[in-house]
Amino acid sequence: MNIQLPRLAPARLPALAAHLSPLPWTEPRVGIVHLGLGNFHRAHQAVYTEDAMLAAGGDWGICGVSLRRPDTRDALAPQGGLYSVLIRDANGQRVRVVRALRRVLVATEEPDAVLAALRDPHVRIVTLTVTEKGYCLDPRTGGLDFAHPLIARDLRDPDHPQSVPGYLVAGLRTRRDNPYTVLSCDNLAHNGAALRRVVLDYARALDAGLADWIEDGVAFPSTMVDRIVPATTDADRQAAAAALGCVDAWPVPAESFRQWVIEDRFPAGRPAWEQAGALLVDDVTPYETAKLRMLNGVHSTLAYLALLAGIKTVDQAVAQADLHALLHRMMSEDIAPTLTVPADFDRARYRDDLLARFANPTLKHRCIQIAMDGSQKLPPRLLGTVADRLRAGHAVDRLALGIAAWMRFLAGRSESGAALELNDPMAERLRALAAPEAPGVVDRLLAVTEIFPPELAADARFTGTVRRAYDALARDGALATARRYAAL
Ligand code: CS2
């Protein structure tokens, strides 16, 4: 049977009541511009914002901006911005249609429309999920990477920006009376402060007065965001069509768990996110560090080891007893003790909940998705924990194993010889350094100062441990090494 289904569109909403909140919905005006319209935003901040509007009203519709690729706009514009989230856990699947996205733009095609959206006085918040590399950070200084080609370009022609700091500043400079709040939702340590620093560096290079005004007048709250959101597959598109009776060109699969902790500094107002389950706090640091180290640090470690062993998805990886044991030990003994957490934060429970989330068999979260951009991810996820443990005189073997697994992954082959795709802004350089035929791979990679701070690369306790882990992986393979390291 080959039935042609209609496309998801506003006119179909009356037939989709089962997939919508029963609360009354009034079409909101756009109040938020979001940069980086990927799956994560659509399953996380957009859902919280929609729930906040359902609970408390407010004009917080979202104008989503893809910075480069037109594919999300091409999928969602014909749907009037509607899309579905396929919420999956052990109990099965629920499908929710999201209405918060009011407009979709592609910066490379419609830069003036993006600037106009940023200059619209009704827009009071600009949120971002542009991934680590979108910040154009120089990790060696913690400030802006002035050598970044987009930054060099934007500083020459700031009225036609292409970079994230370029867009934010081009918007802010016209809004001295009513600046928007800038809200980073990426997995960076101190994401708000990191974004503020690159924006200030960029603005200062253009106009010191503008930079001073941003420094005093613009809020950059930090946030901790959490929801496991895999990339969309054709099977997900079919599942959406089967549930909705119409075609959603780009549904988003996600786990049911979601968490958002936000520093409550919004001088221009904000949606009632607390009514959608977000936690509004004074200081997000403890939550953010716990999440980056426990979830993301372990996720990356697992992804690299699993890929070397030929395991493709996270649920299959944690089902492997040696990998499970390694992660359990790593969280309990290596990471959790480095965390400073609120009194009611139960580290063992957090660990167990994470392992259960990773085991979700319905998500099919691919390890290769987590493995991408390792050069950007390792420092916030693993290296802070390493530095804290070394400072306390503690062993770092299991953390070094994750780093060594990344080094072996860079060479592009699993243990059985299957090709492993390397997707990383530093891919070319890293691949050349990681070629396993040449001796000294570990030392060459540890000398990459954009990733490894010089103090760490000079610490023989760290370097020796990474070398031993690398050799163990080469000799015994990922699973046998995981087993041994779990028992150390
Ligand atoms: C993952 C994260 O892709 C990755 O690197 O570690 O996207 C992770 O799934 C989310 O941070 C969970 O909140």
Side-chain angles (χ1 to χ4, degrees):
M1 203 166 46
N2 185 6
I3 305 171
Q4 193 77 38
L5 291 175
R7 190 73 177 266
L8 175 61
R12 298 206 59 77
L13 286 174
L16 293 169
H19 304 287
L20 298 167
S21 160
L23 294 172
W25 174 252
T26 323
E27 291 297 321
R29 287 183 77 140
V30 167
I32 295 176
V33 170
H34 180 77
L35 305 180
L37 190 57
N39 273 15
F40 186 74
H41 170 74
R42 294 201 283 137
H44 190 274
Q45 301 102 62
V47 171
Y48 275 97
T49 301
E50 177 164 297
D51 282 350
M53 287 190 281
L54 284 164
D59 276 322
W60 297 106
I62 299 169
C63 169
V65 178
S66 293
L67 290 169
R68 263 163 268 293
R69 288 165 42 164
D71 44 7
T72 307
R73 189 267 326 268
D74 293 348
L76 299 188
Q79 301 178 180
L82 298 175
Y83 63 89
S84 55
V85 180
L86 314 174
I87 305 160
R88 292 179 177 154
D89 52 32
N91 303 322
Q93 173 180 276
R94 272 186 306 122
V95 179
R96 166 171 180 171
V97 172
V98 178
R99 292 168 286 187
L101 185 63
R102 307 295 304 136
R103 205 170 164 214
V104 191
L105 297 172
V106 181
T108 39
E109 293 180 18
E110 313 153 270
D112 293 341
V114 176
L115 289 172
L118 291 170
R119 290 169 181 165
D120 174 354
H122 290 101
V123 167
R124 284 153 289 162
I125 302 176
V126 176
T127 54
L128 296 94
T129 49
V130 293
T131 78
E132 298 83 347
K133 57 183 180 265
Y135 289 73
C136 309
L137 256 167
D138 182 343
R140 290 165 292 202
T141 61
L144 185 68
D145 178 3
F146 285 96
H148 193 293
L150 284 185
I151 296 298
R153 200 217 141 272
D154 284 4
L155 286 173
R156 283 195 302 273
D157 184 12
D159 293 334
H160 303 100
Q162 292 181 7
S163 70
V164 168
Y167 268 110
L168 290 173
V169 171
L172 282 171
R173 68 185 312 163
T174 64
R175 303 186 46 146
R176 294 220 181 181
D177 295 335
N178 64 338
Y180 43 71
T181 298
V182 186
L183 189 66
S184 166
C185 299
D186 282 295
N187 288 317
L188 258 69
H190 312 298
N191 52 13
L195 180 56
R196 179 170 186 267
R197 173 89 191 270
V198 293
V199 167
L200 287 176
D201 283 358
Y202 177 88
R204 201 163 295 286
L206 290 177
D207 171 349
L210 176 65
D212 289 342
W213 169 76
I214 294 175
E215 194 159 17
D216 294 339
V218 180
F220 293 80
S222 284
T223 62
M224 180 274 252
V225 292
D226 191 5
R227 187 168 205 178
I228 295 177
V229 183
T232 305
T233 63
D234 283 336
D236 298 325
R237 291 188 177 85
Q238 280 155 21
L244 299 173
C246 57
V247 172
D248 178 356
W250 206 331
V252 185
E255 64 177 339
S256 53
F257 177 91
R258 64 184 209 207
Q259 192 178 16
W260 197 7
V261 188
I262 311 168
E263 283 175 2
D264 201 1
R265 290 188 280 118
F266 293 84
R270 61 165 173 79
W273 282 317
E274 73 285 1
Q275 295 199 38
L279 188 61
L280 277 296
V281 298
D282 290 337
D283 178 11
V284 86
T285 312
Y287 300 93
E288 170 196 271
T289 313
K291 191 260 174 173
L292 272 170
R293 292 185 178 189
M294 291 281 272
L295 190 159
N296 298 113
V298 164
H299 235 185
S300 290
T301 302
L302 181 67
Y304 295 123
L305 287 167
L307 287 166
L308 292 175
I311 301 173
K312 298 225 159 38
T313 63
V314 173
D315 62 306
Q316 288 167 346
V318 283
Q320 206 287 333
D322 301 317
L323 291 174
H324 191 279
L326 179 83
L327 301 190
H328 193 280
R329 266 318 271 290
M330 194 174 161
M331 286 200 251
S332 319
E333 288 179 36
D334 305 334
I335 304 176
T338 69
L339 303 175
T340 310
V341 286
D344 59 351
F345 186 104
D346 180 339
R347 297 162 215 243
R349 167 118 191 261
Y350 193 59
R351 172 201 64 208
D352 293 343
D353 288 348
L354 287 176
L355 286 168
R357 288 169 62 197
F358 292 168
N360 183 336
T362 58
L363 278 179
K364 308 271 175 277
H365 195 193
R366 294 173 70 227
C367 295
I368 199 78
Q369 184 185 343
I370 300 166
M372 71 184 281
D373 289 351
S375 67
Q376 317 289 305
K377 290 176 174 175
L378 289 192
R381 295 175 176 211
L382 287 170
L383 300 186
T385 316
V386 169
D388 282 356
R389 288 187 63 79
L390 289 172
R391 215 170 292 126
H394 295 142
V396 293
D397 299 75
R398 282 178 285 266
L399 299 158
L401 180 61
I403 295 160
W406 166 73
M407 291 177 169
R408 294 205 54 81
F409 162 82
L410 292 176
R413 294 271 161 213
S414 75
E415 286 160 7
S416 68
L420 296 174
E421 185 196 349
L422 177 57
N423 194 337
D424 191 298
M426 294 176 70
E428 233 171 280
R429 198 167 137 210
L430 294 175
R431 196 181 292 116
L433 294 173
E437 332 37 272
V441 172
V442 172
D443 293 331
R444 283 201 302 274
L445 285 166
L446 289 175
V448 176
T449 52
E450 291 94 326
I451 304 175
F452 298 100
E455 321 76 82
L456 207 54
D459 191 319
R461 293 171 299 170
F462 175 61
T463 54
T465 314
V466 179
R467 262 186 239 115
R468 275 195 299 283
Y470 183 93
D471 292 343
L473 287 172
R475 192 182 57 237
D476 304 328
L479 298 184
T481 306
R483 184 178 323 136
R484 193 155 63 74
Y485 275 61
L488 283 182

